[in-house]
Amino acid sequence: MNIDDLFTPRLPPKRKIATKELTGEPPKRLRGEDGSQLRTQIEDVEDGENGVREHLREDDEEDGRFYEGSGLSERDKGILDVVDEPFNPQEPAALDIAAVRKLVLKCEKAFQKNQDMRIRHADDPTKFMDSETDLDEHIHALMAITSAPHLYPELVRLNFIPSVVALVSHENTDISLAAVDLLNEMTDEEVVPEDGEEQEAGMKEFVSALVENTALEVVVQNMARLDEDQEEDKKGVFNSLSFIENAISVDASIAESVVRQTGILSWLLKRIRAKAMDSNRQYASEMLAVLLQSSRDNRLKLGNTTITDMNGVDIILSCLSPYKRRDPKDDDEVEFMENLFDALCSALNEPEIKVIFLNGEGLELMLILLKEKLMSRMRALKVVDYALTSKSVGDPADPTPRLAERWVDILGLKTLFAVFMRRGAKKFKKEYKAYSEKEEDEHAISIIASLFRYLAAGAYRDRLLFKFEEEDFEKCDHLALTLWCSYLERAREADVEIEKERKRLRAAAQDVDEVDEEEFLLRRLDAGLFHLQILAEIIAFLFHEGAAGTKEHLGGIFAGEPKTGGVERVREVLQERLDVLGPEDSESAKSTLQMLLSSLSS
């Protein structure tokens, strides 16, 4: 006997189609063991000083102390028997296939009975209310199966998947929400242990069957009928989004199919436009970021999804616009804002989205956010970095050069180099715990390198080069003495650790294979090699195209400061970057690096 079940009040769901109290049907009268009705009228008696009120039946003896029989139902007696038993902590009996079949069969019968009662008494909801209470209990009983995900395939073999999907679209939203809650709990990643291969396989088969039986479509459609002003419906929306996220974590390809087959993208965009901030709005922004993260088709659909004459990119920008005047009010809103920035960054991987971003004055909004120096500045800089980064260097159809020119046109260079020089960094460190000076440095140097790649010779490029001459070449000093030396040291430390690892492997008579080499390269890149290569590219551009004063100043730094490693070290870093470029990198990018290497050698 489950103690939790015994003490759980057996109350009907909060919202039912009809209740007996509303219809005026009198309550059933209690009956004694001999079948006679007991009088239920109760009188209240004050208990002395404490004023405690006791309830006495009129059928009691005169002194009100004794009553023939225990007065307890069989269920109440069972509860007391369990409580009186000595506590013996034991693990609950593990579910087996027979138990799962029994749970499923009971739920199926309850579902069928409810459907029959609904058809038979369509005009009198009171006649099928009890069957829905019973069905709700059987749905909740299925929660026990979450303890045995390796048995999930049995649900598939029992053909229960179509039934649970049908329950999601049940006419009574309480039943529907119970079914969604069941799906959410059963697909939660925590039900699968880390080393549970059998459980993981069971989960994958279960989720695959749900997708095949249109569970995603039904769940998304069901969200449209929920009223989030009611707490139960609000929780149902949250559970629906959680179920979809769980399914994606089991199979990443579901992210693309759910967008293709349902209207979830439109629903999410409408939900993030809501003015009031709550957990579901935050969750909608998170789901939007998840769906855009790894699917080009989803990102393109964002630009093609229109709601009241606004496409998805414009909606995200409009939701970010308030943060040019204020910071988020709480942690939920902070996460909401960051999710929208992440979604926008993912979308900007596509040239088609860059065009929409450009035409929607996205760069202008990011510049305002940078100037206002609020929390949003930290993410706005990242968006500009993504907008000005491209894998299609030299492609005439690539809109990135147009974005680079627009950035110069709107006077973005002044604000960018203020960030590059770490102006205001002390304020950010003091006010925002999430602030990372390293992250800002990396985005700033990445944007500057992109401007060198995409700004054509002429006025735009001259304005960029002139920035390194200002204020007595202070930006050259920061570039070479602060950033270059710092990242060079990080890369050197990583190389030392990796060399120790190589020696350890050789001492153990183990070969350093290709997998090891890839891991070593990733460790070096994470330690700072990637951004060291970007810094080397900027330095090479300045040596190649900078004014005579810039070249002379930089040359003096690299010749006179041993920590820089000299110009030869810059060349080595650039050569290493050229060596790792693969077939996916454009020929234009490779030829640019070769040109820069040649200029450093001369």
Side-chain angles (χ1 to χ4, degrees), residues 105-121 127-135 138 167 170:
L105 181 60
K106 286 185 176 181
C107 188
E108 289 274 16
K109 286 183 177 180
F111 186 22
Q112 186 60 53
K113 179 181 178 181
N114 173 245
Q115 294 300 95
D116 292 343
M117 295 292 285
R118 274 184 162 270
I119 294 171
R120 191 181 309 167
H121 305 288
K127 297 291 182 62
F128 56 75
M129 189 187 73
D130 286 343
S131 71
E132 287 185 1
T133 301
D134 187 45
L135 176 57
H138 283 295
L167 286 169
H170 195 280

Side-chain angles (χ1 to χ4, degrees), residues 241-253:
L241 294 174
S242 181
F243 162 65
I244 296 170
E245 185 179 20
N246 291 344
I248 293 172
S249 68
V250 173
D251 181 357
S253 66

Side-chain angles (χ1 to χ4, degrees), residues 185-243:
E185 292 296 329
M186 291 187 70
T187 55
D188 193 304
E189 62 181 6
E190 292 186 2
V191 305
V192 178
E194 292 184 5
D195 56 348
E197 294 183 6
E198 186 180 5
Q199 292 92 332
E200 185 177 354
M203 175 74 81
K204 287 182 178 179
E205 184 174 345
F206 179 65
V207 169
S208 177
L210 286 171
V211 174
E212 290 176 6
N213 284 273
T214 68
L216 297 172
E217 292 92 320
V218 173
V219 168
V220 173
Q221 290 169 4
N222 188 61
M223 287 196 295
R225 68 166 169 160
L226 300 180
D227 179 8
E228 292 188 61
D229 288 336
Q230 299 191 44
E231 192 61 33
E232 290 298 316
D233 284 15
K234 184 176 181 179
K235 182 180 178 182
V237 168
F238 188 93
N239 287 338
S240 298
L241 294 174
S242 181
F243 162 65

Side-chain angles (χ1 to χ4, degrees), residues 63 78 115 144 347 390 504 547:
D63 58 5
Q115 294 300 95
S390 174
R504 187 189 67 78

Side-chain angles (χ1 to χ4, degrees), residues 228 234 238 241 245 267-268 271-272 274 276-289 330-340:
E228 292 188 61
K234 184 176 181 179
F238 188 93
L241 294 174
E245 185 179 20
W267 189 94
L268 292 173
R271 190 63 184 83
I272 65 173
M277 189 67 220
D278 60 16
S279 58
N280 282 352
R281 190 183 185 213
Q282 181 270 320
Y283 205 170
S285 69
E286 181 180 336
M287 281 301 303
L288 186 62
D330 53 32
D331 291 343
D332 273 352
E333 193 171 1
V334 169
E335 192 168 348
F336 169 77
M337 180 189 76
E338 292 184 346
N339 287 335
L340 293 184

Side-chain angles (χ1 to χ4, degrees), residues 84 96 115 159 181 365 405 485 517 542 580:
D84 290 339
D96 56 16
Q115 294 300 95
N159 202 33
D181 189 25
L365 175 61
E405 291 178 358
C485 290
E517 290 295 349
L542 291 172
V580 299

Side-chain angles (χ1 to χ4, degrees), residues 2 15 75 105 121 143 198 293 299 315 390 406 432 470 530 575:
N2 190 323
R15 286 190 295 110
R75 183 172 181 272
L105 181 60
H121 305 288
M143 290 285 188
E198 186 180 5
Q293 186 175 9
R299 294 192 284 265
I315 290 172
S390 174
R406 175 68 70 84
Y432 303 114
E470 293 178 339
F530 176 73
Q575 183 63 58

